[in-house]
PDB file of all heavy atoms in Angstrom:
ATOM      1  N   LEU C 155      -9.981   8.526 -18.133  1.00 78.00           N
ATOM      2  CA  LEU C 155     -10.027   9.610 -17.156  1.00 78.00           C
ATOM      3  C   LEU C 155     -10.186   9.059 -15.757  1.00 78.00           C
ATOM      4  O   LEU C 155     -10.796   8.016 -15.534  1.00 78.00           O
ATOM      5  CB  LEU C 155     -11.188  10.564 -17.473  1.00 78.00           C
ATOM      6  CG  LEU C 155     -11.150  11.248 -18.850  1.00 78.00           C
ATOM      7  CD1 LEU C 155     -12.407  12.086 -19.042  1.00 78.00           C
ATOM      8  CD2 LEU C 155      -9.911  12.110 -18.990  1.00 78.00           C
ATOM      9  N   GLY C 156      -9.644   9.780 -14.793  1.00 90.00           N
ATOM     10  CA  GLY C 156      -9.781   9.397 -13.394  1.00 90.00           C
ATOM     11  C   GLY C 156      -9.172  10.464 -12.515  1.00 90.00           C
ATOM     12  O   GLY C 156      -8.521  11.397 -12.988  1.00 90.00           O
ATOM     13  N   ALA C 157      -9.358  10.326 -11.215  1.00 94.00           N
ATOM     14  CA  ALA C 157      -8.747  11.245 -10.269  1.00 94.00           C
ATOM     15  C   ALA C 157      -7.248  10.991 -10.211  1.00 94.00           C
ATOM     16  O   ALA C 157      -6.796   9.866 -10.464  1.00 94.00           O
ATOM     17  CB  ALA C 157      -9.385  11.054  -8.900  1.00 94.00           C
ATOM     18  N   PRO C 158      -6.439  11.994  -9.891  1.00 95.00           N
ATOM     19  CA  PRO C 158      -4.993  11.786  -9.816  1.00 95.00           C
ATOM     20  C   PRO C 158      -4.617  10.631  -8.893  1.00 95.00           C
ATOM     21  O   PRO C 158      -5.086  10.547  -7.761  1.00 95.00           O
ATOM     22  CB  PRO C 158      -4.482  13.122  -9.263  1.00 95.00           C
ATOM     23  CG  PRO C 158      -5.481  14.123  -9.740  1.00 95.00           C
ATOM     24  CD  PRO C 158      -6.804  13.407  -9.671  1.00 95.00           C
ATOM     25  N   GLY C 159      -3.811   9.700  -9.416  1.00 96.00           N
ATOM     26  CA  GLY C 159      -3.392   8.538  -8.641  1.00 96.00           C
ATOM     27  C   GLY C 159      -4.317   7.346  -8.764  1.00 96.00           C
ATOM     28  O   GLY C 159      -3.975   6.242  -8.308  1.00 96.00           O
ATOM     29  N   GLU C 160      -5.446   7.511  -9.390  1.00 96.00           N
ATOM     30  CA  GLU C 160      -6.420   6.418  -9.491  1.00 96.00           C
ATOM     31  C   GLU C 160      -5.992   5.402 -10.552  1.00 96.00           C
ATOM     32  O   GLU C 160      -5.523   5.757 -11.628  1.00 96.00           O
ATOM     33  CB  GLU C 160      -7.791   6.980  -9.861  1.00 96.00           C
ATOM     34  CG  GLU C 160      -8.888   5.914  -9.942  1.00 96.00           C
ATOM     35  CD  GLU C 160     -10.242   6.489 -10.312  1.00 96.00           C
ATOM     36  OE1 GLU C 160     -10.382   7.728 -10.305  1.00 96.00           O
ATOM     37  OE2 GLU C 160     -11.144   5.687 -10.626  1.00 96.00           O
ATOM     38  N   ILE C 161      -6.124   4.125 -10.214  1.00 96.00           N
ATOM     39  CA  ILE C 161      -5.869   3.064 -11.177  1.00 96.00           C
ATOM     40  C   ILE C 161      -7.056   3.004 -12.132  1.00 96.00           C
ATOM     41  O   ILE C 161      -8.182   2.721 -11.727  1.00 96.00           O
ATOM     42  CB  ILE C 161      -5.675   1.703 -10.479  1.00 96.00           C
ATOM     43  CG1 ILE C 161      -4.439   1.757  -9.575  1.00 96.00           C
ATOM     44  CG2 ILE C 161      -5.530   0.584 -11.503  1.00 96.00           C
ATOM     45  CD1 ILE C 161      -4.239   0.515  -8.724  1.00 96.00           C
ATOM     46  N   ILE C 162      -6.794   3.292 -13.409  1.00 95.00           N
ATOM     47  CA  ILE C 162      -7.896   3.376 -14.361  1.00 95.00           C
ATOM     48  C   ILE C 162      -7.890   2.231 -15.369  1.00 95.00           C
ATOM     49  O   ILE C 162      -8.819   2.079 -16.149  1.00 95.00           O
ATOM     50  CB  ILE C 162      -7.881   4.724 -15.117  1.00 95.00           C
ATOM     51  CG1 ILE C 162      -6.520   4.968 -15.778  1.00 95.00           C
ATOM     52  CG2 ILE C 162      -8.227   5.858 -14.159  1.00 95.00           C
ATOM     53  CD1 ILE C 162      -6.464   6.248 -16.597  1.00 95.00           C
ATOM     54  N   SER C 163      -6.830   1.398 -15.337  1.00 94.00           N
ATOM     55  CA  SER C 163      -6.796   0.231 -16.211  1.00 94.00           C
ATOM     56  C   SER C 163      -5.782  -0.771 -15.686  1.00 94.00           C
ATOM     57  O   SER C 163      -4.726  -0.394 -15.170  1.00 94.00           O
ATOM     58  CB  SER C 163      -6.430   0.634 -17.644  1.00 94.00           C
ATOM     59  OG  SER C 163      -6.245  -0.515 -18.460  1.00 94.00           O
ATOM     60  N   LEU C 164      -6.128  -2.059 -15.834  1.00 95.00           N
ATOM     61  CA  LEU C 164      -5.208  -3.151 -15.528  1.00 95.00           C
ATOM     62  C   LEU C 164      -5.028  -4.037 -16.756  1.00 95.00           C
ATOM     63  O   LEU C 164      -4.621  -5.193 -16.643  1.00 95.00           O
ATOM     64  CB  LEU C 164      -5.738  -3.980 -14.349  1.00 95.00           C
ATOM     65  CG  LEU C 164      -5.869  -3.241 -13.012  1.00 95.00           C
ATOM     66  CD1 LEU C 164      -6.555  -4.131 -11.975  1.00 95.00           C
ATOM     67  CD2 LEU C 164      -4.497  -2.794 -12.505  1.00 95.00           C
ATOM     68  N   ALA C 165      -5.308  -3.467 -17.918  1.00 93.00           N
ATOM     69  CA  ALA C 165      -5.250  -4.228 -19.173  1.00 93.00           C
ATOM     70  C   ALA C 165      -3.835  -4.714 -19.453  1.00 93.00           C
ATOM     71  O   ALA C 165      -2.849  -4.011 -19.209  1.00 93.00           O
ATOM     72  CB  ALA C 165      -5.748  -3.361 -20.330  1.00 93.00           C
ATOM     73  N   ASN C 166      -3.757  -5.946 -19.960  1.00 93.00           N
ATOM     74  CA  ASN C 166      -2.490  -6.548 -20.385  1.00 93.00           C
ATOM     75  C   ASN C 166      -1.449  -6.612 -19.257  1.00 93.00           C
ATOM     76  O   ASN C 166      -0.239  -6.598 -19.516  1.00 93.00           O
ATOM     77  CB  ASN C 166      -1.905  -5.774 -21.577  1.00 93.00           C
ATOM     78  CG  ASN C 166      -2.839  -5.750 -22.770  1.00 93.00           C
ATOM     79  OD1 ASN C 166      -3.415  -6.784 -23.130  1.00 93.00           O
ATOM     80  ND2 ASN C 166      -3.018  -4.584 -23.368  1.00 93.00           N
ATOM     81  N   GLY C 167      -1.938  -6.704 -18.035  1.00 94.00           N
ATOM     82  CA  GLY C 167      -1.037  -6.841 -16.906  1.00 94.00           C
ATOM     83  C   GLY C 167      -0.249  -5.587 -16.578  1.00 94.00           C
ATOM     84  O   GLY C 167       0.780  -5.651 -15.892  1.00 94.00           O
ATOM     85  N   LYS C 168      -0.725  -4.439 -17.022  1.00 96.00           N
ATOM     86  CA  LYS C 168      -0.080  -3.159 -16.737  1.00 96.00           C
ATOM     87  C   LYS C 168      -1.014  -2.303 -15.882  1.00 96.00           C
ATOM     88  O   LYS C 168      -2.232  -2.417 -15.982  1.00 96.00           O
ATOM     89  CB  LYS C 168       0.267  -2.394 -18.016  1.00 96.00           C
ATOM     90  CG  LYS C 168       0.938  -3.240 -19.084  1.00 96.00           C
ATOM     91  CD  LYS C 168       2.304  -3.761 -18.662  1.00 96.00           C
ATOM     92  CE  LYS C 168       2.967  -4.545 -19.782  1.00 96.00           C
ATOM     93  NZ  LYS C 168       4.238  -5.188 -19.376  1.00 96.00           N
ATOM     94  N   ILE C 169      -0.411  -1.452 -15.055  1.00 96.00           N
ATOM     95  CA  ILE C 169      -1.199  -0.612 -14.151  1.00 96.00           C
ATOM     96  C   ILE C 169      -1.184   0.811 -14.676  1.00 96.00           C
ATOM     97  O   ILE C 169      -0.155   1.497 -14.626  1.00 96.00           O
ATOM     98  CB  ILE C 169      -0.627  -0.652 -12.722  1.00 96.00           C
ATOM     99  CG1 ILE C 169      -0.529  -2.091 -12.217  1.00 96.00           C
ATOM    100  CG2 ILE C 169      -1.483   0.187 -11.778  1.00 96.00           C
ATOM    101  CD1 ILE C 169       0.234  -2.235 -10.903  1.00 96.00           C
ATOM    102  N   THR C 170      -2.301   1.265 -15.196  1.00 96.00           N
ATOM    103  CA  THR C 170      -2.392   2.622 -15.722  1.00 96.00           C
ATOM    104  C   THR C 170      -2.923   3.550 -14.639  1.00 96.00           C
ATOM    105  O   THR C 170      -3.971   3.291 -14.039  1.00 96.00           O
ATOM    106  CB  THR C 170      -3.307   2.679 -16.956  1.00 96.00           C
ATOM    107  OG1 THR C 170      -2.818   1.770 -17.951  1.00 96.00           O
ATOM    108  CG2 THR C 170      -3.347   4.084 -17.538  1.00 96.00           C
ATOM    109  N   ILE C 171      -2.186   4.620 -14.392  1.00 96.00           N
ATOM    110  CA  ILE C 171      -2.491   5.559 -13.316  1.00 96.00           C
ATOM    111  C   ILE C 171      -2.851   6.916 -13.906  1.00 96.00           C
ATOM    112  O   ILE C 171      -2.091   7.474 -14.710  1.00 96.00           O
ATOM    113  CB  ILE C 171      -1.285   5.733 -12.368  1.00 96.00           C
ATOM    114  CG1 ILE C 171      -0.767   4.375 -11.893  1.00 96.00           C
ATOM    115  CG2 ILE C 171      -1.640   6.625 -11.185  1.00 96.00           C
ATOM    116  CD1 ILE C 171      -1.715   3.624 -11.015  1.00 96.00           C
ATOM    117  N   ALA C 172      -3.986   7.461 -13.505  1.00 96.00           N
ATOM    118  CA  ALA C 172      -4.375   8.794 -13.949  1.00 96.00           C
ATOM    119  C   ALA C 172      -3.509   9.848 -13.288  1.00 96.00           C
ATOM    120  O   ALA C 172      -3.162   9.744 -12.111  1.00 96.00           O
ATOM    121  CB  ALA C 172      -5.844   9.044 -13.609  1.00 96.00           C
ATOM    122  N   CYS C 173      -3.154  10.859 -14.050  1.00 95.00           N
ATOM    123  CA  CYS C 173      -2.386  11.985 -13.524  1.00 95.00           C
ATOM    124  C   CYS C 173      -3.227  13.257 -13.662  1.00 95.00           C
ATOM    125  O   CYS C 173      -4.367  13.209 -14.103  1.00 95.00           O
ATOM    126  CB  CYS C 173      -1.074  12.126 -14.292  1.00 95.00           C
ATOM    127  SG  CYS C 173       0.001  10.673 -14.166  1.00 95.00           S
ATOM    128  N   GLY C 174      -2.661  14.387 -13.296  1.00 94.00           N
ATOM    129  CA  GLY C 174      -3.392  15.640 -13.423  1.00 94.00           C
ATOM    130  C   GLY C 174      -3.820  15.891 -14.850  1.00 94.00           C
ATOM    131  O   GLY C 174      -4.879  16.455 -15.120  1.00 94.00           O
ATOM    132  N   LYS C 175      -2.968  15.461 -15.786  1.00 93.00           N
ATOM    133  CA  LYS C 175      -3.289  15.480 -17.205  1.00 93.00           C
ATOM    134  C   LYS C 175      -2.636  14.265 -17.821  1.00 93.00           C
ATOM    135  O   LYS C 175      -1.444  14.060 -17.679  1.00 93.00           O
ATOM    136  CB  LYS C 175      -2.765  16.760 -17.863  1.00 93.00           C
ATOM    137  CG  LYS C 175      -3.039  16.829 -19.358  1.00 93.00           C
ATOM    138  CD  LYS C 175      -2.446  18.086 -19.971  1.00 93.00           C
ATOM    139  CE  LYS C 175      -2.688  18.134 -21.474  1.00 93.00           C
ATOM    140  NZ  LYS C 175      -2.072  19.330 -22.093  1.00 93.00           N
ATOM    141  N   GLY C 176      -3.426  13.419 -18.483  1.00 94.00           N
ATOM    142  CA  GLY C 176      -2.888  12.208 -19.069  1.00 94.00           C
ATOM    143  C   GLY C 176      -2.679  11.116 -18.032  1.00 94.00           C
ATOM    144  O   GLY C 176      -3.194  11.182 -16.911  1.00 94.00           O
ATOM    145  N   SER C 177      -1.899  10.104 -18.383  1.00 95.00           N
ATOM    146  CA  SER C 177      -1.699   8.976 -17.485  1.00 95.00           C
ATOM    147  C   SER C 177      -0.355   8.312 -17.761  1.00 95.00           C
ATOM    148  O   SER C 177       0.250   8.504 -18.815  1.00 95.00           O
ATOM    149  CB  SER C 177      -2.838   7.956 -17.629  1.00 95.00           C
ATOM    150  OG  SER C 177      -2.995   7.562 -18.979  1.00 95.00           O
ATOM    151  N   VAL C 178       0.112   7.535 -16.789  1.00 97.00           N
ATOM    152  CA  VAL C 178       1.340   6.762 -16.940  1.00 97.00           C
ATOM    153  C   VAL C 178       1.012   5.293 -16.739  1.00 97.00           C
ATOM    154  O   VAL C 178       0.026   4.940 -16.072  1.00 97.00           O
ATOM    155  CB  VAL C 178       2.430   7.198 -15.935  1.00 97.00           C
ATOM    156  CG1 VAL C 178       2.913   8.614 -16.248  1.00 97.00           C
ATOM    157  CG2 VAL C 178       1.951   7.094 -14.500  1.00 97.00           C
ATOM    158  N   VAL C 179       1.842   4.432 -17.327  1.00 97.00           N
ATOM    159  CA  VAL C 179       1.640   2.994 -17.245  1.00 97.00           C
ATOM    160  C   VAL C 179       2.794   2.384 -16.460  1.00 97.00           C
ATOM    161  O   VAL C 179       3.954   2.484 -16.879  1.00 97.00           O
ATOM    162  CB  VAL C 179       1.553   2.365 -18.642  1.00 97.00           C
ATOM    163  CG1 VAL C 179       1.328   0.856 -18.532  1.00 97.00           C
ATOM    164  CG2 VAL C 179       0.440   3.013 -19.457  1.00 97.00           C
ATOM    165  N   ILE C 180       2.481   1.762 -15.343  1.00 97.00           N
ATOM    166  CA  ILE C 180       3.496   1.141 -14.499  1.00 97.00           C
ATOM    167  C   ILE C 180       3.683  -0.308 -14.946  1.00 97.00           C
ATOM    168  O   ILE C 180       2.728  -1.076 -15.034  1.00 97.00           O
ATOM    169  CB  ILE C 180       3.088   1.206 -13.018  1.00 97.00           C
ATOM    170  CG1 ILE C 180       3.012   2.665 -12.571  1.00 97.00           C
ATOM    171  CG2 ILE C 180       4.075   0.436 -12.145  1.00 97.00           C
ATOM    172  CD1 ILE C 180       2.481   2.852 -11.163  1.00 97.00           C
ATOM    173  N   GLU C 181       4.940  -0.675 -15.208  1.00 97.00           N
ATOM    174  CA  GLU C 181       5.240  -2.008 -15.732  1.00 97.00           C
ATOM    175  C   GLU C 181       6.029  -2.878 -14.765  1.00 97.00           C
ATOM    176  O   GLU C 181       6.128  -4.087 -14.959  1.00 97.00           O
ATOM    177  CB  GLU C 181       6.000  -1.876 -17.052  1.00 97.00           C
ATOM    178  CG  GLU C 181       5.208  -1.148 -18.120  1.00 97.00           C
ATOM    179  CD  GLU C 181       5.968  -0.995 -19.420  1.00 97.00           C
ATOM    180  OE1 GLU C 181       7.181  -0.714 -19.369  1.00 97.00           O
ATOM    181  OE2 GLU C 181       5.335  -1.169 -20.486  1.00 97.00           O
ATOM    182  N   GLY C 182       6.592  -2.262 -13.723  1.00 97.00           N
ATOM    183  CA  GLY C 182       7.356  -3.022 -12.739  1.00 97.00           C
ATOM    184  C   GLY C 182       7.327  -2.324 -11.396  1.00 97.00           C
ATOM    185  O   GLY C 182       7.314  -1.094 -11.331  1.00 97.00           O
ATOM    186  N   VAL C 183       7.272  -3.117 -10.311  1.00 97.00           N
ATOM    187  CA  VAL C 183       7.153  -2.530  -8.976  1.00 97.00           C
ATOM    188  C   VAL C 183       8.026  -3.280  -7.973  1.00 97.00           C
ATOM    189  O   VAL C 183       8.445  -4.416  -8.201  1.00 97.00           O
ATOM    190  CB  VAL C 183       5.689  -2.548  -8.473  1.00 97.00           C
ATOM    191  CG1 VAL C 183       4.800  -1.676  -9.337  1.00 97.00           C
ATOM    192  CG2 VAL C 183       5.150  -3.984  -8.417  1.00 97.00           C
TER     193      VAL C 183
END
């Protein structure tokens, strides 16, 4: 859980971002 847009995990070299409901994992930027 986190505020919308908040980075809530950096596990395994991935950036997990909290959304309004659930989260997405960013793998490339």
Side-chain angles (χ1 to χ4, degrees):
L155 300 176
E160 182 180 349
I161 297 174
I162 54 177
S163 173
L164 297 173
N166 301 315
K168 314 295 183 186
I169 305 171
T170 303
I171 308 293
C173 299
K175 179 183 178 182
S177 54
V178 293
V179 181
I180 296 174
E181 299 179 319
V183 296

